[in-house]
Amino acid sequence: MNKKIILSGMRPTGKLHIGHFTGALENWVALQGEYLNYHLIADYHTLTTSLDTSMVFEDSVEMAIDWIACGINPDKSPVFRQSQIKQHTELFLILSMLITKARLEKNPTLKEQIRDMNLQSVTYGHLGYPVLQAADILLYKGELVPVGEDQVPHVEITRQIAGVFNERYTGINGKLIFPVPEPMITKFARLPGLDGKAKMSKSLDNTILISDNECNIKAKIKKAYTDPNKLRKGDKGNPDICLVYTYHKKFNEPELSQIRDGCASGTLGCFDCKMNVASKISDYFLPVREKRLILENNKNHVLEILIEGEKKARVIAENTMKEVRESMKLG
Ligand code: TRP
């Protein structure tokens, strides 16, 4: 039986944090055997919110290093940069005719970005970026798209566009060209930031990086938000409102009930609790850091991996575009 196709993508933001791991990467790695995966580095997408492209190349390479160190196998699952496959822009242009401006203006994720970034106006490309994302997915005939909640509206837009296309244009003998993809929601979607905010995010400077060593992790966790009513060892705490406890849930399951009881009864102090989880997080990512170091010292090899992934992706993308052009009688 043919494996189902998964298209997953991320904007290159440089070194990834452990929230990226729990929210996406871990899941991508787990899906590798059962599905055929394509891993897209969405470098064009960064232009929607910043025109400073000085770091986009380095950030893409750093992100690829994190992906591979965490267990993405580029021999099985091509890893590639969107900008290196020109078919994305061609399909984007065609698909942009199949959806209205009003529909794109309704996109809740765009509205959130306008609010959060306090944007006074929106560029044409930013409004249309879900259409570029639709092209990313449909070029590889993606059937499943692993995403967090915030990206679900974009998969819905992709579904709508695929439906409109399929209704109007078909391949030989009426064969449908695009599958209508489904979102696959990641369950541990959000790891809270060190400041207690709902999400780890580079711009909030509240992250633990996948590449951070034990010393960095300890220094960062020392400052993490805990139950404000627990001031010293002996005070009773409420683990349910403590961010550090959330990290224990993810990285220290075996000791969870012990931590919970210790915090609630006061016998466990915040400092010890923090140092404990910091070393668990560090241990968890130790093999990743080791693999990372090897890749980091051989960036040319990483670039070769990308070029190889791009060759494979380009063949698939061009096949799809041939079908699209034929069905539309565009040459
Ligand atoms: N829009 C996604 C983000 O901002 C990144 C992305 C681009 C993507 N193309 C994609 C995600 C295709 C999934 C599938 O995070």
Side-chain angles (χ1 to χ4, degrees), residues 80-132:
F80 54 97
R81 290 161 295 176
Q82 187 183 36
S83 65
Q84 299 308 301
I85 293 150
K86 297 305 169 198
Q87 287 79 354
H88 286 257
T89 54
E90 186 183 0
L91 188 59
F92 168 53
L93 179 129
I94 292 171
L95 300 184
S96 70
M97 312 295 171
L98 307 183
I99 186 149
T100 65
K101 169 171 158 282
R103 173 69 179 86
L104 293 171
E105 280 165 347
K106 271 195 230 146
N107 171 13
T109 303
L110 178 72
K111 287 187 190 165
E112 248 173 57
Q113 280 176 346
I114 293 174
R115 193 197 55 208
D116 295 350
M117 300 178 67
N118 205 6
L119 298 178
Q120 301 309 310
S121 60
V122 170
T123 63
Y124 170 54
H126 192 177
L127 176 69
Y129 92 85
V131 185
L132 180 58

Side-chain angles (χ1 to χ4, degrees), residues 221-224 226 244 270-279:
I221 292 211
K222 238 185 236 175
K223 297 193 209 126
T226 51
V244 175
C270 290
F271 182 78
D272 291 342
C273 179
K274 284 175 166 180
M275 291 306 104
N276 180 2
V277 84
S279 66

Side-chain angles (χ1 to χ4, degrees), residues 7-11 40 42 45 82 113 129 132-134 136-137 145-147 150-151 154-155:
L7 188 294
S8 44
M10 228 185 249
R11 290 170 185 236
L40 170 113
H45 269 104
Q82 187 183 36
Q113 280 176 346
Y129 92 85
L132 180 58
Q133 187 163 349
D136 298 340
I137 297 167
V145 189
V147 283
D150 64 316
Q151 294 292 314
H154 299 161
V155 181

